[in-house]
Amino acid sequence: MRKDATKALVLQGGGALGAYELGVARVLYGERGYAPNLIAGVSIGAISAVLLARPRKDRSPLETLEAFWKKVMLPADFWLPLFRPYASLFGDPAFFRPRLDVAALPFWTSLYDTTPLRETLKELVDLDALKDPEAWPQLLVTATSIEDGQIVQFDSSDDGLTLDHIIASGSLPPNFPITTIKDKHSKERHYWDGGIFDNTPLGAVIERMDPRRSAEQKREIIVVNLFPNKGEVPRNMAEVGQRMLNMLFANKTQSDLDLMKAFNNFAGLIDLIATDDRWEALRGTQQFIDANKGYITVPNIVDITRTTPAAGTSSGDFTARAITELAEQGARDARKRLGGGPADSGERAYG
């Protein structure tokens, strides 16, 4: 696991809501020349991450991401407005298709087959670079181990990755099938969507950031949140379902960040002792030596958050109109959040 990243991008999962990440990418990559050295994602965020990190050789990261959304986009005009959010119930030719083996229905563990997604990714991803542990930027995707009930991190810098790891991160039940991957001991392990356990792999990214604390070594993480944490108190059952959905998949790392920021104060004290000769005697004690080992301060964290609560049908609406609106919203929010200054401004901390 490499720990030398200084600039990272974290992408949440949320099905069709991932088009919001396309809009953010248009600003970061297209307008600002953003080049993170670590990209992490969950579910649709993992798909966005691999397209940005391992694009086909003849395309740029942004061109590759644009090509994906063009492929999975469903025609908008074919559906009456009332039925547009439900268009993907019949499948998405470049993403997933309904299962047809009705005779095996009692033994189904999913409603759709994701073979089309695999074929789409084969067209867009540099598979040789994906399996190369030395490829850059570092790529991190997460999935949920069904056997262990724990989040599992798939890090490109360990042994490289395959499309299985990307698809495992987005294997959301009951829609999509379980993904089976053999571990280093050739034992089959089974995975569901990483968002079931944690839809924002921010902690895993911080662990991989350069631990240096020098003022010259700026470290920053941009987090794209598809589900807002804040919301209104529900007034009916429909709103209860909407609020519950957003709370389930929202960013849950704020309390951890508050604790880690408190640790920053301790890190500042350690730095003072290490550099101020008035504390020279203290620097030689074993207690100080132990306290000064492997300490990682919290990088500057910039959040770009979709403020519109997700409805129950939002994640499945792949119609052209919905995708276009989400991408426009992501670009608008990214420009507003990052302001006129550079993307690595230290004045816009998380929260």
Side-chain angles (χ1 to χ4, degrees):
M1 180 178 70
R2 297 179 66 159
K3 292 188 177 183
D4 52 357
T6 58
K7 187 180 292 186
L9 177 64
V10 178
L11 304 170
Q12 276 193 343
L17 294 175
Y20 180 91
E21 296 168 344
L22 169 61
V24 174
R26 285 173 177 169
V27 174
L28 292 177
Y29 285 80
E31 299 177 13
R32 292 171 172 258
Y34 185 69
N37 41 33
L38 170 58
I39 306 178
V42 180
S43 199
I44 195 67
I47 294 172
S48 297
V50 73
L51 294 169
L52 291 171
R54 303 292 184 268
R56 208 172 72 180
K57 287 185 175 68
D58 60 343
R59 283 180 173 162
S60 70
L62 182 57
E63 287 173 339
T64 305
L65 189 60
E66 295 273 10
F68 172 80
W69 283 103
K70 186 176 181 179
K71 279 180 172 290
V72 302
M73 192 182 292
L74 298 173
D77 297 333
F78 181 77
W79 300 92
L80 295 173
L82 182 64
F83 297 103
R84 283 190 191 120
Y86 306 97
S88 64
L89 286 175
F90 302 98
D92 185 321
F95 204 140
F96 52 90
R97 62 194 178 202
R99 294 186 61 172
L100 300 177
D101 54 334
V102 180
L105 182 60
F107 305 99
W108 280 12
T109 57
S110 68
L111 300 174
Y112 296 93
D113 172 16
T114 52
T115 299
L117 172 61
R118 185 179 295 273
E119 296 304 314
T120 297
L121 293 179
K122 282 181 180 179
E123 292 180 23
L124 298 175
V125 173
D126 184 340
L127 298 180
D128 290 333
L130 181 60
K131 66 182 181 182
D132 181 4
E134 299 299 322
W136 203 246
Q138 188 173 352
L139 176 62
L140 175 71
V141 300
T142 60
T144 300
S145 168
I146 298 176
E147 289 94 344
D148 300 330
Q150 296 290 334
I151 200 74
V152 177
Q153 301 166 9
F154 298 125
D155 189 328
S156 67
S157 69
D158 291 338
D159 298 301
L161 299 177
T162 68
L163 289 183
D164 287 337
H165 296 101
I166 309 303
I167 293 172
S169 183
S171 297
L172 182 66
N175 287 344
F176 299 151
I178 296 166
T179 298
T180 303
I181 302 175
K182 289 185 178 180
D183 63 17
K184 62 181 64 178
H185 305 294
S186 296
K187 182 179 180 180
E188 289 188 344
R189 308 293 294 179
H190 304 87
Y191 298 98
W192 271 333
D193 193 296
I196 294 174
F197 199 88
D198 183 0
N199 204 34
T200 318
L202 185 54
V205 169
I206 292 175
E207 291 175 359
R208 288 161 172 79
M209 298 294 283
D210 192 318
R212 287 174 289 179
R213 300 190 297 267
S214 65
E216 296 78 16
Q217 191 68 30
K218 292 182 179 179
R219 297 172 301 133
E220 177 188 81
I221 304 174
I222 293 180
V223 184
V224 183
N225 296 310
L226 302 180
F227 298 89
N229 288 73
K230 296 181 180 180
E232 301 292 332
V233 176
R235 295 165 296 181
N236 53 53
M237 290 304 293
E239 291 181 1
V240 168
Q242 182 185 67
R243 186 71 187 115
M244 183 179 70
L245 172 72
N246 284 271
M247 293 177 71
L248 282 173
F249 293 104
N251 192 334
K252 300 179 177 66
T253 56
Q254 185 61 57
S255 59
D256 293 335
L257 286 173
D258 291 340
L259 178 61
M260 294 181 74
K261 288 175 182 177
F263 291 163
N264 280 358
N265 296 327
F266 178 74
L269 177 61
I270 295 295
D271 284 343
L272 177 63
I273 296 173
T275 57
D276 193 325
D277 288 340
R278 291 177 299 173
W279 305 102
E280 184 175 1
L282 184 58
R283 291 200 292 266
T285 64
Q286 189 60 47
Q287 288 88 341
F288 176 80
I289 293 172
D290 291 340
N292 198 32
K293 286 181 180 177
Y295 202 88
I296 301 176
T297 54
V298 180
N300 179 51
I301 299 177
V302 178
D303 68 301
I304 301 172
T305 301
R306 183 173 178 267
T307 56
T308 306
T313 58
S314 298
S315 62
D317 189 352
F318 284 88
T319 58
R321 182 170 306 202
I323 297 306
T324 300
E325 290 176 355
L326 282 162
E328 290 174 350
Q329 184 182 28
R332 184 171 60 248
D333 289 351
R335 294 188 190 102
K336 181 179 179 182
R337 184 69 176 98
L338 299 173
D344 60 357
S345 169
E347 297 179 359
R348 299 176 178 85
Y350 187 90

